[in-house]
Structure formats: C-alpha cells, structure tokens
Amino acid sequence: MASHDSHTGRLPGLFTSPDTSSFTEFLGTYSPDLLPGRRPLPPGTAGDDIPHGTTIVAVSFPGGVVMAGDRRATAGNVIAQRDIEKVFRADEFSAIAIAGTAGIGIEMVRLFQVELEHYEKREGRTLSVEGKANRLATMVRQNLGLAMQGLAVVPLFAGYDEERDGGRIFSYDPAGGRYEEREFHSIGSGSVFARGALKKLYRADLSAEDAAVVCVQALYDAADDDSATGGPDLTRGIYPVVATVTSDGYRRLGEEEVGAVARAVVEGRHDSPGGPTAPLR
Amino acid sequence: MPFYVSPEQQMKDKADYARKGISRGRSVVVLQYDDGILFVADNPSRALHKISEIYDRIAFAAVGKYNEFENLRLGGVRYADINGYQYDRRDVTARGLANVYAQSLGTIFTETNKPYEVELVVAEVGEDAGTDQIYRLTFDGSVADEHGYVAMGGQADAVAQSLKDGYREGSSLVDALRTAVRALEAQDSDRHLEAKSLEVAVLDRNREHRLFRRLTARRIEELLAEGTGAAPAAGEASEGGAEDD
C-alpha cells in the first residue's frame, strides 16, 4: 500500500468512502500522478524518438466484431520493436487497441481494463457498450495536454452489444471526440491504405473467419505503402494480433490460426501483389 | 456524572454487542473442494450479496450488518485494484488484504463506541488445495488461518459441527455443496434450503483470468439433484455456461 495511512496498515478512509465506482476517479484523489494526464509536463515537445504504434483495423460481422493490429513500433525511422502488441482484451465482451505513443497508450489500456473490472465488481453489473465507450472518451480527453506536446494516443474500441447481437466500433480523436463507426474502421499511420482495402473487401454477410482475413489483407495493404506498419513476418513467425468479440466473449486467435491466414494472404500476393480485386461493374 | 467503566468491561460489552448482532443473521459456509473453494450463503436475495469477487483469485464472504461489510468489501476492491495496477496482478494476495481488514476492524473495535457487527472470510485459491488460503476475520480484528472449512454467522456452532462431521478433503463440487447445504440446514431443526434461497459461488482454479464464478439457481438445482441421484444427466453439459450476473 502506498503513502496514506501506511503506518497503521489499515484501509485509509479514502478506500471506504462510497463516492465513486470509477477507478480513474478514485486514483485521481488517491494518487493523481499515476494518471497519465495529471502529471506536470516539461516544456517542449517530445519528438519521434519515442516508440509509436501504428495501424489498427476493425471489421464488424453479423454476431460480432474482429479487431487486428500489426506488430511494429517505430521511433523515427528506426523500428523500435517488431513484435509489439497493440490489441487487448478490455473485458469479457470488448476489445481495445491503440495507435500513437506506445508507452502512454499501453498505460491507458491498463487503466481502462481496471476501470471496467472495478466498476463491474463494485456495482455487480457491467457497463453498457456506450458507457464503456464514453468512459474511454474521458480518458482520451484527459490526455489532451500530452497530445499537444507530441504524445498523442488514439484508441479504437470494439464491443459486443447484447441487445443488438452484433459488434460495435468506436473511434476517437485526440480531443476526446467519440464517433461510432459503421461496418469497419481503421486508425494509425497506415489507416489510409487499410481503409481503402477494407472498403473494397467488406461485405455485410462476412463470417468471423472471413472478417479476420479481411483484417489481415487490409493490414498487408497498410504495410505495403506505410513504412511504419509492419507486414506479416514469415521468417520470424510474427503475425498480426487478431481478436474477435462475440456473444462467447473476447477471443484472441491463436498463433497457428493467424499464421495460416497470414501465410495464405502472402501466398496470394505472389500472384497478385495488389491483393484480391473487386468486380469493376 | 459519568460512571467509571473498566477497560476490560468496556471491551467485553463491545464484544458481546458485536457477537449478538452477528448471531442474529443467517450463516455462511466456506469450504475447499477438489477444484477450488466453495462459498455458500443462506441468502435469498439476488442483489444484496454476501459473497463477492475481490480479485483474480480472491473472494470475500461476510455475515452481519450489510452496510458495514459492504463498506469493507468496496474498500477491499479498491485496495486490490490499486495494488494490481501499481505492481502486477499476481502481487495482490489474500494475506495482504486480510491484514488491512484486520487493522481496520481492530481500530474500529478499539477506537469507536460501536464495533462492526461483521465476520469475514477472505479466501484465495492456489494452484492446488495445499496452497489455498482461507482467512477468517472477526469483529475485533482477530485473524485465523483456516483449513478445510469455515462456518460463520447465525448458529455458527451448529453449522460448524455439521461441517466437521460431513466434510471430506478433496471432495467434488457436488459433494461439497451437499455438505454445505446440510450444514446450513443445521441452523434450525426444520430448515430446508432450496436452490433459490441459496447464494453459491466458487473460486475455480481451472478457469482463466478471473476465477470467481457465481452459480445460477438452475445450476445449483442441477448440482443438488446430482448429489441425490435424482437427475444425474442434467449437470455436466452446462458446466461452462452457468454464469450469473
């Protein structure tokens, strides 16, 4: 236990005050410097020398949503890490992924995970999908100061909505704007190229397996044209992180499963480097 | 003019007061079974829980005054989450939590006029039965490290006696639940408990992430029926999907 009342070893009064079921809010009173947006900022801007995560894609399909991210982190023109993970389980029925400053992003993800679980344990119920999405918007907004100094983080959030029996996708801007996306979305430096691919490959009746293929195809296209996005690394066996969220909950696809999809995608590109073509008329 | 009351008398009065409050309620039992730790409360409410999740491997059971133990539970969730966030998830332990509860209860008992009328169990499921931990905390902050089974609240002595007679180490969930229900029925001579008047949860060491799981009334019924051999086929098929909340 940190600072307060630690000499007595008992629960500090703050712990038993019934005011809030939000972990972030509690942390803000208990130990504000543990929150990314509450630390005093040094002057100047942090440049490209800090690792940045790049491209994330999400595709909804009847009954759920698939989210996938490449494995590259870059610091300027250097590849900082080639097997970073940027897609995470947020809770049983939702996933979160980050693009932007990796360090702040991973901190935000951890905080968000605890936030959801904390609420669930205290209140005895889970937040609605919108509730979770709004909560995340607040956390992004608190990061605005950091964003303006070059440490921006933008998450992508996807959850299974029980009432609609389908997946929902929410994107954010660095100011905390929250936007619900239809069908599919992509964020990060390679997102422009990924979104083009998603647009051509998306069908309303995709199966979960096909939606995963669409994601891997889109990430391949992003890596094709964006130097900060990593393609499937067949020699090292490093493949995108792909996760589905359905009524069965969050499931990250196994290494073998994604490996098979990634190899098939790369194989296909040997014959047609531009990937699957859409009918012209 | 105030009378002089000796400290011994003062403590004794407080202890009697707390004990009386706790024995007015209904009992809760906690016992180990082969796959983890089972919690059973004689509690018909679906919303006001006596058994709750604290963390990945840790659960909480309580008897006595609801507002008092709920307050401790909420504090415990904060304690666990903040420690797991600052350090790592595996650094949150039942022992640490039992210690802060003990200090809190001890302080409240000695420093305030009205002691908490609660008794708690903090349990952590380990990799095997040998590493399971069950701590019982009483209103004055005493901690006991328990093995096998615990009964608290209501007619705790009668319940504990029944557990002592019926408890077998390494029994299955079905047998453990039977033993627990029989023990809770020992509160009164003519008490019969059905699935809907029971609150049942487990810390199941074979699960992933968060090991705490509530059992639905239907699942409890199935397990109890299995125990008596009335409807043996109904149970195992729904093992995974019997979650509540």
Side-chain angles (χ1 to χ4, degrees):
Chain A
M1 168 108 37
S3 53
H4 321 250
D5 275 353
S6 56
H7 56 288
T8 63
R10 64 175 187 247
L11 283 177
L14 208 54
F15 275 72
T16 47
S17 65
D19 46 1
T20 174
S21 283
S22 161
F23 182 72
T24 318
E25 265 176 50
F26 170 64
L27 206 55
T29 356
Y30 176 71
S31 191
D33 55 337
L34 286 177
L35 290 176
R38 300 276 189 93
R39 288 186 285 257
L41 296 174
T45 54
D48 293 336
D49 301 339
I50 295 174
H52 278 61
T54 42
T55 311
I56 306 294
V57 295
V59 173
S60 65
F61 61 88
V65 57
V66 180
M67 198 179 240
D70 75 305
R71 302 292 291 273
R72 182 170 291 180
T74 54
N77 64 324
V78 175
I79 294 171
Q81 205 183 346
R82 56 176 110 254
D83 62 351
I84 192 175
E85 295 185 0
K86 295 175 280 188
V87 178
F88 304 89
R89 175 188 194 273
D91 70 355
E92 186 75 40
F93 292 105
S94 61
I96 178 174
I98 45 137
T101 316
I104 310 273
I106 288 164
E107 188 179 6
M108 186 186 284
V109 168
R110 281 192 73 207
L111 194 56
F112 185 60
Q113 289 168 328
V114 180
E115 177 81 21
L116 298 185
E117 186 186 324
H118 191 73
Y119 181 92
E120 189 185 325
K121 288 190 290 198
R122 284 180 65 103
E123 298 290 324
R125 65 178 283 269
T126 51
L127 281 166
S128 61
V129 179
E130 284 91 350
K132 294 174 194 172
N134 287 339
R135 198 59 227 168
L136 186 57
T138 313
M139 291 168 62
V140 176
R141 202 168 297 125
Q142 279 164 356
N143 213 32
L144 185 59
L146 284 165
M148 291 177 72
Q149 293 197 347
L151 296 173
V153 171
V154 180
L156 188 63
F157 176 70
Y160 171 76
D161 190 330
E162 203 172 12
E163 284 167 33
R164 301 187 189 181
D165 184 30
R168 296 176 68 179
I169 303 169
F170 294 89
S171 72
Y172 298 84
D173 66 32
R178 188 211 84 171
Y179 313 95
E180 177 156 11
E181 305 291 344
R182 291 158 176 276
E183 303 170 345
F184 57 82
H185 195 67
S186 170
I187 59 165
S189 62
S191 61
V192 201
F193 311 110
R195 212 171 301 165
L198 291 173
K199 199 193 295 178
K200 299 294 175 198
L201 296 174
Y202 177 81
R203 319 270 183 275
D205 59 349
L206 285 170
S207 65
E209 293 74 28
D210 288 348
V213 175
V214 169
C215 286
V216 176
Q217 289 281 13
L219 285 175
Y220 188 99
D221 283 320
D224 209 14
D225 288 303
D226 171 38
S227 62
T229 304
D233 189 340
L234 300 188
T235 52
R236 292 190 181 84
I238 301 170
Y239 310 113
V241 175
V242 184
T244 60
V245 187
T246 62
S247 57
D248 291 333
Y250 175 94
R251 185 176 80 90
R252 178 174 165 174
L253 272 61
E255 206 77 336
E256 304 245 316
E257 243 173 318
V258 183
V261 173
R263 279 192 299 274
V265 167
V266 174
E267 188 63 34
R269 301 275 173 148
H270 284 258
D271 300 327
S272 114
T277 49
L280 198 54
R281 284 175 199 278
Chain B
M1 203 185 113
F3 291 101
Y4 172 75
V5 183
S6 73
E8 288 88 351
Q9 188 58 44
Q10 216 172 11
M11 292 299 153
K12 189 178 171 300
D13 288 351
K14 281 194 202 178
D16 286 346
Y17 173 83
R19 267 193 212 102
K20 206 188 270 177
I22 293 163
S23 66
R24 262 199 297 269
R26 299 187 215 179
S27 307
V28 172
V29 298
V30 179
L31 61 167
Q32 290 177 268
Y33 70 103
D34 56 358
D35 285 332
I37 303 172
L38 170 70
F39 303 78
V40 185
D42 176 0
N43 177 16
S45 172
R46 294 289 123 220
L48 305 177
H49 296 303
K50 290 187 169 179
I51 301 164
S52 307
E53 173 187 18
I54 297 282
Y55 212 63
D56 294 356
R57 316 184 72 93
I58 305 173
F60 170 99
V63 292
K65 274 195 95 171
Y66 179 78
N67 68 320
E68 292 174 349
F69 68 68
E70 177 69 0
N71 192 247
L72 289 169
R73 179 186 78 84
L74 295 175
V77 169
R78 277 186 180 163
Y79 166 86
D81 279 345
I82 203 149
N83 278 290
Y85 182 69
Q86 276 181 298
Y87 305 111
D88 187 78
R89 295 194 78 90
R90 80 197 89 162
D91 296 317
V92 179
T93 61
R95 199 184 64 85
L97 185 63
N99 275 331
V100 291
Y101 277 151
Q103 295 301 333
S104 299
L105 285 167
T107 310
I108 291 163
F109 184 75
T110 47
E111 289 179 9
T112 61
N113 281 328
K114 186 208 161 301
Y116 270 18
E117 298 158 71
V118 297
E119 195 165 325
L120 316 176
V121 160
V122 174
E124 176 175 347
V125 68
E127 292 300 327
D128 53 58
T131 52
D132 286 349
Q133 295 169 49
I134 302 177
Y135 299 99
R136 174 219 288 261
L137 293 119
T138 47
F139 55 85
D140 59 354
S142 313
V143 196
D145 185 356
E146 304 278 356
H147 297 278
Y149 60 85
V150 179
M152 55 182 185
Q155 303 304 310
D157 292 340
V159 178
Q161 186 58 48
S162 168
L163 279 176
K164 192 178 172 206
D165 297 339
Y167 176 76
R168 300 281 172 275
E169 231 171 78
S171 58
S172 66
L173 179 59
V174 172
D175 292 340
L177 184 62
R178 283 297 311 163
T179 311
V181 173
R182 210 173 308 128
L184 288 173
E185 285 175 342
Q187 288 177 97
D188 293 314
S189 52
D190 57 348
R191 195 165 194 82
H192 178 68
L193 290 167
E194 293 192 359
K196 62 177 186 298
S197 57
L198 291 171
E199 181 185 355
V200 182
V202 290
L203 280 170
D204 181 346
R205 67 176 114 255
N206 299 324
R207 284 171 66 81
E208 278 180 34
H209 300 299
R210 293 156 68 181
L211 309 188
F212 182 85
R213 177 169 67 118
R214 282 185 197 288
L215 304 189
T216 56
R218 216 185 65 208
R219 179 76 181 127
I220 300 168
E221 244 163 56
E222 284 169 8
L223 287 170
L224 288 175
E226 231 174 284
T228 55
E236 289 311 307
S238 60
E239 182 70 64
E243 268 173 274
D244 189 64
D245 278 333

